[in-house]
């Protein structure tokens, strides 16, 4: 069984090496879809009976380890020293420093690695993170899937 939970957050970024408008500081209303696989829990009397995982628990975990950290932050590439130094000069600015350009593709892979560690199998139902879909805009997204993300670098 596959289940998916969708969350949204706002963040700024820039792609410093890009030749178009994306090289400028700008922001997005990101949408992240987290897809988990597992067997339906059949243990009698537990609150999660009939579920792979409670959707509210997916939300709680994802917000704790990723969404709340990236929401209203500027996602900056460590190699973009001009912007990183500027952001560090701002008192109490929420900045996330990444070791890759903050493209939708790299952010999806990074999110997959962060979330993969967070979702643990509690009921022996073979729970596993299968995919992270990250929408940068309503019409543009990147998918990080288990079968391919393990063959990519961990940004």
């Amino acid at each position: 069984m596959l289940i998916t939970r969708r969350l949204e957050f706002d963040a700024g970024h820039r792609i410093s090496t890009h030749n178009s408008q994306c090289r400028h500081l700008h922001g997005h209303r990101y949408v992240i879809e987290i897809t988990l696989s597992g067997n339906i829990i059949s243990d009698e009397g537990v609150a999660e009976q009939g579920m792979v995982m409670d959707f509210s628990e997916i939300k709680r975990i994802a917000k704790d380890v990723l969404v709340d950290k990236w929401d209203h932050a500027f996602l900056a590439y460590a190699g973009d020293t001009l912007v990183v130094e500027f952001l560090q000069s701002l008192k109490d600015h929420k900045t996330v420093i990444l070791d890759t350009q903050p493209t939708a593709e790299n952010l999806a892979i990074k999110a997959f690695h962060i979330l993969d560690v967070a979702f643990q199998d509690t009921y022996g139902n073979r729970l596993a993170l299968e995919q992270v879909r990250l929408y940068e805009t309503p019409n543009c997204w990147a998918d990080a899937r288990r079968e391919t993300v393990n063959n990519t670098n961990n940004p």
Side-chain angles (χ1 to χ4, degrees), residues 35-52:
T35 300
L36 299 163
S37 67
N39 295 330
I40 297 171
I41 298 165
S42 59
D43 297 358
E44 289 289 331
V46 300
E48 295 81 3
Q49 183 179 3
M51 305 175 189
V52 171

Side-chain angles (χ1 to χ4, degrees), residues 8-75:
E8 299 181 9
F9 63 95
D10 300 296
H13 78 149
R14 87 171 186 140
I15 311 303
S16 60
T17 56
H18 206 272
N19 292 328
S20 75
Q21 299 290 351
C22 292
R23 74 181 179 279
H24 302 294
L25 303 176
H26 64 285
H28 295 284
R29 176 69 173 178
Y30 288 97
V31 175
I32 188 167
E33 293 178 350
I34 301 159
T35 300
L36 299 163
S37 67
N39 295 330
I40 297 171
I41 298 165
S42 59
D43 297 358
E44 289 289 331
V46 300
E48 295 81 3
Q49 183 179 3
M51 305 175 189
V52 171
M53 184 177 201
D54 189 313
F55 287 115
S56 66
E57 190 65 2
I58 298 169
K59 177 182 178 182
R60 183 193 65 76
I61 291 168
K63 284 177 64 62
D64 184 50
V65 301
L66 179 81
V67 173
D68 288 349
K69 290 174 175 41
W70 288 9
D71 188 34
H72 284 81
F74 195 89
L75 309 175

Side-chain angles (χ1 to χ4, degrees), residues 102-115:
T103 62
E105 297 89 340
N106 285 337
L107 292 174
I109 293 168
K110 177 62 108 180
F112 187 97
H113 286 290
I114 291 168
L115 293 167

Side-chain angles (χ1 to χ4, degrees), residues 5 29 37 46 48 52 54 58-59 65 76 80 84 104 107 112 114 118-119 126-127 130-133 136 139-140 145:
R5 181 66 160 101
R29 176 69 173 178
S37 67
V46 300
E48 295 81 3
V52 171
D54 189 313
I58 298 169
K59 177 182 178 182
V65 301
D80 190 358
V84 169
L107 292 174
F112 187 97
I114 291 168
F119 288 104
R126 296 198 308 259
L127 182 71
E130 295 297 333
Q131 176 175 288
V132 169
R133 173 170 282 177
E136 191 171 80
N139 299 316
C140 302
R145 294 187 183 136

Side-chain angles (χ1 to χ4, degrees), residues 64-127:
D64 184 50
V65 301
L66 179 81
V67 173
D68 288 349
K69 290 174 175 41
W70 288 9
D71 188 34
H72 284 81
F74 195 89
L75 309 175
Y77 170 47
D80 190 358
T81 54
L82 187 64
V83 167
V84 169
E85 288 172 7
F86 167 71
L87 293 172
Q88 289 174 338
S89 75
L90 302 174
K91 186 178 191 286
D92 298 324
H93 189 272
K94 191 173 179 183
T95 305
V96 175
I97 306 294
L98 303 165
D99 57 4
T100 59
Q101 290 283 359
T103 62
E105 297 89 340
N106 285 337
L107 292 174
I109 293 168
K110 177 62 108 180
F112 187 97
H113 286 290
I114 291 168
L115 293 167
D116 193 31
V117 173
F119 288 104
Q120 300 298 316
D121 187 345
T122 308
Y123 291 93
N125 64 338
R126 296 198 308 259
L127 182 71

